[in-house]
Amino acid sequence: GYMDPQTQQIAVLPQYESATPFVEKVARVKEGETYYLLNQSGGKISKSGYAYIGWSDDRVQDTLRVYRDLVGFRTAEGLWGLMNLKGK
């Protein structure tokens, strides 16, 4: 889950298997075997989940890396692509 640092209140209830800190107002969360981008309100930006969201070399890091407002993703079929921070 996530806590609002200003109000010290829970902003997003704990419900994900794993979650990264927010970077540029988005975070990566894992639900089962599927990854999503999450906005600071707790809404899923990427409605269809992915086998992985991030870059091929950051699987050991606990943070989401964003380059020029883009993140990498991998589909269930093993194909890699890019999406912006709006999930497109």
Side-chain angles (χ1 to χ4, degrees):
Y2 295 94
M3 181 171 48
D4 184 321
Q6 294 175 335
T7 66
Q8 299 296 305
Q9 299 294 316
I10 294 176
V12 179
L13 292 172
Q15 57 189 304
Y16 298 104
E17 189 174 317
S18 67
T20 64
F22 281 94
V23 175
E24 297 190 34
K25 300 183 181 181
V26 299
R28 176 184 62 216
V29 296
K30 184 177 181 188
E31 188 173 55
E33 295 299 315
T34 306
Y35 289 86
Y36 299 91
L37 284 183
L38 203 70
N39 64 29
Q40 290 179 310
S41 300
K44 291 178 182 174
I45 296 170
S46 52
K47 299 298 181 201
S48 62
Y50 296 97
Y52 188 69
I53 294 177
W55 305 99
S56 62
D57 62 346
D58 72 356
R59 303 253 307 153
V60 296
Q61 295 183 6
D62 293 333
T63 184
L64 177 66
R65 292 186 297 162
V66 176
Y67 294 109
R68 298 184 180 188
D69 293 330
L70 296 171
V71 295
F73 67 87
R74 183 171 48 85
T75 67
E77 294 78 26
L79 302 174
W80 285 90
L82 296 172
M83 75 175 128
N84 64 24
L85 300 182
K86 295 179 182 178
K88 300 183 187 242

